[in-house]
């Protein structure tokens, strides 16, 4: 007799087999073939049925043997799994720890005990095992591995709270190998000696020969100290090859030894300026062509920021700047200005039209420069418009634009955010003036797919627009208006003279950015101002433009009254949380604060708009406010910079600024 219980157990075990579904499939196919055979030829169908019955009878009479074999197989499999689990727990390199409801260790495997050699873990609380383990233990169970650092090394960590289990896998050796590989990654660099020909020209033959020889000795000695391959590729250009270990040492000392070379010559009244750009790749695959390209881009960035500094940036990484604390010397020449404007003409002539954009909340330099570019583009017989947003205009800009000259020609001069898209064509060119950071551009929402030209006097930041076909950044210039004035001074193929209102706007830009010619001026600044005056710039009109209301003067005085010096030399004042101030008032307040005794740098923190805080920074030149503002997401000049911060209060911005200032002072 067939035991139904045994039969049920057999089918239960049979279902557990991986091949059970294949057997069922074969039976289904066999049954289908049998039915077809009965329909076509009943004799063959009957034969197939008899064969199936014979198999079933054989199966039934031998079921006990099948059940016994399956039971033995299942038992052996369970035993093997148990042995494998036991071996894995006791011999695998993964540490396992179990704990109770009081977070006390109840059991550990040998691997976990080895990870904490010398400690008796049983009965200890998780918090007492390792101080760094407790915060991770208190996290919600993530059921995924994390890489962590404990006192005894680096580990992969898994916490399963539902089982009260912790798992640790030692990856200290792997991390060490990664770090070793990283430290041997090749770093490529470019060292450029700025205005080297001019420097040698000022010396006699004996002095220049002695200087060049001594400079090579100094640079080679520095390179040898850090195991750097240094090769002179041109009179003023050197190629560097080093590894990440050497770079780490240089960064740790903030390139002090490199700056000492420059200081050595400055002490001898030799004003050498050296820009060093270093690049590397973060991943294991070292694409040297890409590294070389990045090193060249880093050098452009260093020179765009005024030179005389070090830029370190990996491919797709964030740039780190060292040095650049000295004021930018005036290096421009008439030839360079002519070359740029010749290139500008070549870039403008093939396009359909031009959109000229300053930065948001424009000042007189931004608008004056835009008007200057407008006239240049019109001289090139191309249609152009200046993009402005009427709701973001300060008092002085509104006053300037209220002039009949601009009101009568408004549609031919200006576009707003509502009308700009109707003006855009397939080959529209955007020219950005008085800024280069897309995040603060008036054209940010519109310029992405188009070619761009940048004309600016601020030190170049890491943020820069793509598809830039031409760049003219001169940190030594007092203003962008000064740069644009040189077109009318030095380029001879202009078809019309500079009109009076454009000359007035350009001069106003220079006056405002130099704080009445008291800051950031050079000889070319006064030459440009004299030229604009000769072209009919109305200084009386500028005086009216820059007139201030009693409310503005009162607001500025209140800001100065609240000024405080928490760090020596740094004066900071804050506006009211609920009072919106314009950027011009903040900038003028910062300028005025510089006239106070013992103030080397001034900062005005104010509410720029309901959702944005602004910081206006100024210095007398001994403190680099540009790097301070860059740390807060802004930029500018060594002595004139600013930033805008969203999502914070004025008090929060103050604390952030103090932290950045103290960090700079600690670093020296």
């Amino acid at each position: 007799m067939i035991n139904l219980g045994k039969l049920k157990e057999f089918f239960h075990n049979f279902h557990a087999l991986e091949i059970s579904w294949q057997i069922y499939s074969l039976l289904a196919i066999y049954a289908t073939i049998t039915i077809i055979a009965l329909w076509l030829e009943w004799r063959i169908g009957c034969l197939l049925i008899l064969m199936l019955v014979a198999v079933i009878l054989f199966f039934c009479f031998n079921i006990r043997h099948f059940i016994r074999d399956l039971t033995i197989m299942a038992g052996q499999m369970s035993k093997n799994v148990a042995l494998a689990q036991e071996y894995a727990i006791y011999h695998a390199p993964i540490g396992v720890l179990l704990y109770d409801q009081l977070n006390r260790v109840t059991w550990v495997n040998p691997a976990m005990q080895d990870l904490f050699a010398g400690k008796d873990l049983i009965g200890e609380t998780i918090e007492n095992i390792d101080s760094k383990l407790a915060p991770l233990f208190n996290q919600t169970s993530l059921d995924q591995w994390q890489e962590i650092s404990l006192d005894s090394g680096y580990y992969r960590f898994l916490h399963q709270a539902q089982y009260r289990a912790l798992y640790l896998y030692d990856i200290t050796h792997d991390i060490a190998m990664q770090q070793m590989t990283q430290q041997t990654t090749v770093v490529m660099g470019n060292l450029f000696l700025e205005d080297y020909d001019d420097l040698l020209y000022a010396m006699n033959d004996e002095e220049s020969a002695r200087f060049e020889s001594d400079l090579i000795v100094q640079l080679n000695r520095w390179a040898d100290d850090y195991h750097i391959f240094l090769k002179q590729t041109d009179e003023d250009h050197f190629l560097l090859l080093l590894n990440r270990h050497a770079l780490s040492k240089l960064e740790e000392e903030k390139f002090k030894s490199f700056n000492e070379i420059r200081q050595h010559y400055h002490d001898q009244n030799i004003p050498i300026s050296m820009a060093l750009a270093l690049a590397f790749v973060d991943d294991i695959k070292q694409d040297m062509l890409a590294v070389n390209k990045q090193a060249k881009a880093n050098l452009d960035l260093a020179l765009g920021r005024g030179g005389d500094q070090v830029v370190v940036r990996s491919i797709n990484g964030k740039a780190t700047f060292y040095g650049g604390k000295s004021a930018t010397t005036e290096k421009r020449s008439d030839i360079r200005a002519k070359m740029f404007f010749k290139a500008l003409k070549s870039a403008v002539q093939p396009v359909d039209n031009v959109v000229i954009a300053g930065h948001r909340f424009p000042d007189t330099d931004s608008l004056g420069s835009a008007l200057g570019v407008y006239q240049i583009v019109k001289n090139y017989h191309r249609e152009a418009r200046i993009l402005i947003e009427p709701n973001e205009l300060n008092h002085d800009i509104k006053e300037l634009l209220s002039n009949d000259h601009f009101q009568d020609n408004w549609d031919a001069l200006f576009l707003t955010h509502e009308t700009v898209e109707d003006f855009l064509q397939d080959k529209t060119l955007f020219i950005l003036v008085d800024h280069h950071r897309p995040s603060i551009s008036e054209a940010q929402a519109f310029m992405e797919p188009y070619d761009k030209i940048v004309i600016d006097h601020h030190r170049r930041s890491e943020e820069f627009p793509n598809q830039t076909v031409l760049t003219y950044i001169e940190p030594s210039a007092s203003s962008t208006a000064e740069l644009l004035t040189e077109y009318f001074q030095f380029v001879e193929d202009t078809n019309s003279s500079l009109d009076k209102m454009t000359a007035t706007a350009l001069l106003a830009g220079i006056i405002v950015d130099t704080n009445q010619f008291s800051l950031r001026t050079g000889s070319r600044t006064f030459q440009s101002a004299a030229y604009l005056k000769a072209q009919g710039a109305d200084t009386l009109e500028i005086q009216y433009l820059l007139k201030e209301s009693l409310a503005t003067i009162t607001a500025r005085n209140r800001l100065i009254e609240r000024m405080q010096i928490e760090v020596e030399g740094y004066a900071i004042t804050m506006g009211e949380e609920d009072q919106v101030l314009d950027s011009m008032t903040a900038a003028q307040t910062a300028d005025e604060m510089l006239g106070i005794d013992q103030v080397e740098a001034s900062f005005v923190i104010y509410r720029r708009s309901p959702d944005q805080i602004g910081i206006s920074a100024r210095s007398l030149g001994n403190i680099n406010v540009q790097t301070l503002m860059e740390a807060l997401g802004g930029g500018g000049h060594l002595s004139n910079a600013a930033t805008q911060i969203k999502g914070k209060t004025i008090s929060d911005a103050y604390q952030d600024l103090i932290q950045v200032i103290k960090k700079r002072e600690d670093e020296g």
Side-chain angles (χ1 to χ4, degrees):
M1 291 292 294
I2 297 175
N3 189 320
L4 294 178
K6 290 288 186 179
L7 185 62
K8 185 177 181 181
E9 180 184 354
F10 167 78
F11 278 106
H12 175 75
N13 291 332
F14 180 76
H15 283 307
L17 294 175
E18 291 185 3
I19 63 170
S20 60
W21 69 271
Q22 290 98 328
I23 295 175
Y24 287 136
S25 299
L26 288 173
L27 288 174
I29 294 171
Y30 189 90
T32 303
I33 294 172
T34 301
I35 293 171
I36 294 172
L38 286 170
W39 182 63
L40 295 176
E41 178 57 58
W42 65 271
R43 294 182 184 85
I44 297 176
C46 291
L47 180 62
L48 291 174
I49 292 173
L50 289 174
M51 290 174 61
L52 180 61
V53 170
V55 171
I56 292 173
L57 290 174
F58 174 80
F59 200 70
C60 290
F61 283 112
N62 291 276
I63 190 169
R64 291 182 180 178
H65 299 291
F66 287 131
I67 292 173
R68 183 192 63 193
D69 292 343
L70 282 174
T71 303
I72 293 172
M73 185 189 303
Q76 187 62 42
M77 188 180 298
S78 298
K79 183 178 179 181
N80 291 340
V81 170
L83 289 173
Q85 288 176 337
E86 182 179 354
Y87 184 87
I89 290 174
Y90 284 96
H91 298 283
I94 299 178
V96 183
L97 178 151
L98 303 179
Y99 60 91
D100 60 17
Q101 63 272 21
L102 298 178
N103 296 343
R104 293 177 304 193
V105 179
T106 58
W107 180 85
V108 294
N109 70 341
M112 181 66 81
Q113 188 66 60
D114 291 342
L115 294 179
F116 296 94
K119 284 188 178 182
D120 186 7
L121 301 180
I122 304 299
E124 288 285 345
T125 61
I126 299 295
E127 290 78 4
N128 290 336
I129 293 176
D130 191 294
S131 58
K132 297 180 181 178
L133 192 60
L136 295 167
F137 170 77
N138 292 327
Q139 291 180 359
T140 304
S141 177
L142 299 176
D143 279 337
Q144 61 183 13
W145 291 90
Q146 306 174 59
E147 289 191 5
I148 64 171
S149 171
L150 300 180
D151 294 337
S152 54
Y154 296 93
Y155 301 90
R156 296 191 71 203
F157 167 80
L158 176 65
H159 177 209
Q160 292 182 314
Q162 65 271 36
Y163 305 123
R164 293 180 182 159
L166 297 179
Y167 306 89
L168 287 177
Y169 177 62
D170 191 349
I171 57 171
T172 304
H173 177 72
D174 297 339
I175 296 296
M177 291 300 296
Q178 289 177 11
Q179 292 175 344
M180 184 180 299
T181 301
Q182 186 183 59
Q183 289 299 306
T184 57
T185 300
V186 175
V187 179
M188 184 176 290
N190 287 307
L191 171 60
F192 181 68
L193 308 178
E194 303 174 63
D195 300 309
Y196 192 64
D197 289 338
D198 295 340
L199 195 64
L200 296 179
Y201 184 77
M203 304 177 183
N204 59 41
D205 292 344
E206 182 181 350
E207 289 173 337
S208 62
R210 186 167 57 248
F211 166 69
E212 288 186 282
S213 175
D214 184 65
L215 177 62
I216 296 298
V217 170
Q218 294 281 350
L219 290 174
N220 282 328
R221 185 179 300 158
W222 170 75
D224 290 343
D225 289 343
Y226 292 90
H227 303 286
I228 299 171
F229 170 79
L230 180 70
K231 176 68 176 178
Q232 187 172 13
T233 58
D234 203 348
E235 186 179 48
D236 55 2
H237 207 120
F238 294 80
L239 172 69
L240 292 83
L241 291 175
L242 58 154
N243 58 31
R244 289 285 297 278
H245 177 67
L247 177 59
S248 298
K249 291 172 63 178
L250 288 166
E251 288 190 298
E252 186 177 345
E253 65 166 31
K254 302 189 184 303
F255 288 86
K256 179 181 177 182
S257 57
F258 179 75
N259 290 327
E260 286 174 351
I261 299 175
R262 179 182 61 83
Q263 191 60 46
H264 167 73
Y265 291 108
H266 278 231
D267 292 342
Q268 301 177 42
N269 294 320
I270 302 176
I272 187 171
S273 178
M274 301 187 295
L276 176 60
L278 299 169
F280 57 92
V281 64
D282 287 318
D283 55 32
I284 297 176
K285 182 181 177 182
Q286 299 189 34
D287 186 345
M288 297 310 298
L289 290 177
V291 175
N292 180 52
K293 183 178 179 180
Q294 184 65 57
K296 291 179 179 178
N298 290 356
L299 183 60
D300 290 340
L301 178 58
L303 296 174
R305 292 168 56 85
D308 209 20
Q309 58 192 279
V310 180
V311 175
V312 179
R313 181 170 59 177
S314 65
I315 297 175
N316 300 322
K318 185 175 177 61
T320 306
F321 305 100
Y322 301 91
K325 297 181 180 180
S326 58
T328 305
T329 56
E330 194 171 60
K331 306 170 185 175
R332 304 195 317 281
S333 66
D334 299 354
I335 295 175
R336 183 172 182 184
K338 290 179 180 180
M339 289 178 61
F340 168 75
F341 289 114
K342 183 177 180 180
L344 177 64
K345 182 177 181 179
S346 299
V348 167
Q349 286 183 331
V351 305
D352 294 329
N353 55 24
V354 176
V355 175
I356 306 161
H359 52 74
R360 296 184 60 203
F361 302 98
D363 54 15
T364 51
D365 187 29
S366 180
L367 182 60
S369 301
L371 289 167
V373 171
Y374 176 86
Q375 186 152 343
I376 293 172
V377 173
K378 297 301 285 186
N379 289 342
Y380 295 152
H381 306 292
R382 285 294 175 270
E383 189 176 9
R385 295 290 187 276
I386 299 170
L387 180 61
I388 62 171
E389 179 53 47
N391 296 327
E392 295 182 349
L393 302 181
N394 297 324
H395 167 75
D396 53 341
I397 301 300
K398 290 180 180 178
E399 189 68 27
L400 176 62
L401 294 180
S402 66
N403 186 278
D404 291 342
H405 171 78
F406 298 117
Q407 291 298 314
D408 294 342
N409 298 282
W410 185 271
D411 291 337
L413 282 168
F414 300 107
L415 291 170
T416 65
H417 289 192
E418 287 72 30
T419 60
V420 63
E421 291 188 355
D422 294 332
F423 184 75
L424 298 177
Q425 298 184 32
D426 292 339
K427 294 177 67 177
T428 294
L429 174 69
F430 277 79
I431 300 181
L432 310 184
V433 295
D434 199 36
H435 74 292
H436 60 267
R437 294 169 54 209
S439 61
I440 65 171
S441 179
E442 196 70 72
Q444 180 184 12
F446 312 103
M447 66 181 180
E448 179 62 28
Y450 299 97
D451 288 343
K452 305 164 195 71
I453 292 176
V454 174
I455 307 174
D456 193 13
H457 73 114
H458 297 99
R459 291 194 179 198
R460 179 170 169 172
S461 66
E462 190 176 356
E463 182 187 357
F464 203 76
N466 58 10
Q467 286 186 236
T468 303
V469 297
L470 189 60
T471 300
Y472 191 31
I473 296 180
E474 282 291 354
S476 63
S478 68
S479 56
T480 309
E482 179 184 323
L483 295 175
L484 270 302
T485 301
E486 292 181 344
Y487 167 83
F488 302 97
Q489 288 179 272
F490 303 130
V491 179
E492 299 175 356
D493 64 345
T494 55
N495 298 318
S496 62
S497 60
L498 186 61
D499 69 70
K500 178 181 176 180
M501 284 310 302
T502 301
T504 300
L506 287 168
L507 183 56
I510 295 175
I511 289 174
V512 169
D513 266 28
T514 60
N515 192 22
Q516 307 283 348
F517 298 100
S518 63
L519 297 171
R520 301 176 293 279
T521 57
S523 60
R524 298 174 76 92
T525 308
F526 293 100
Q527 291 173 10
S528 296
Y531 173 82
L532 293 171
K533 180 61 178 172
Q535 294 298 309
D538 190 342
T539 52
L540 184 61
E541 177 74 18
I542 295 173
Q543 187 175 352
Y544 276 107
L545 290 178
L546 301 182
K547 273 193 172 185
E548 300 172 292
S549 66
L550 179 61
T552 300
I553 296 173
T554 302
R556 192 163 67 241
N557 289 336
R558 286 176 179 170
L559 286 170
I560 294 175
E561 286 177 1
R562 288 198 290 269
M563 185 191 82
Q564 51 187 313
I565 300 178
E566 184 167 327
V567 180
E568 184 179 356
Y570 295 83
I572 305 174
T573 187
M574 295 182 288
E576 300 288 348
E577 288 283 0
D578 57 353
Q579 181 184 10
V580 175
L581 294 176
D582 62 78
S583 58
M584 183 61 68
T585 300
Q588 290 172 342
T589 303
D591 283 330
E592 196 167 332
M593 288 164 61
L594 286 179
I596 299 174
D597 189 31
Q598 298 182 351
V599 173
E600 289 291 330
S602 59
F603 303 85
V604 178
I605 308 174
Y606 64 103
R607 183 160 294 283
R608 189 182 179 99
S609 65
D611 64 340
Q612 190 179 66
I613 302 298
I615 302 179
S616 186
R618 299 290 186 271
S619 85
L620 295 175
N622 294 325
I623 295 173
N624 189 342
V625 293
Q626 177 202 5
T627 56
L628 296 175
M629 292 299 98
E630 283 181 337
L632 296 172
H637 266 297
L638 179 143
S639 57
N640 177 357
T643 189
Q644 294 86 45
I645 303 171
K646 286 189 175 182
K648 291 195 175 184
T649 64
I650 289 178
S651 298
D652 293 336
Y654 173 81
Q655 294 300 327
D656 291 344
L657 177 60
I658 288 294
Q659 186 176 357
V660 169
I661 290 173
K662 288 183 176 179
K663 181 180 179 181
R664 181 218 183 255
E665 288 298 302
D666 291 341
E667 293 174 351

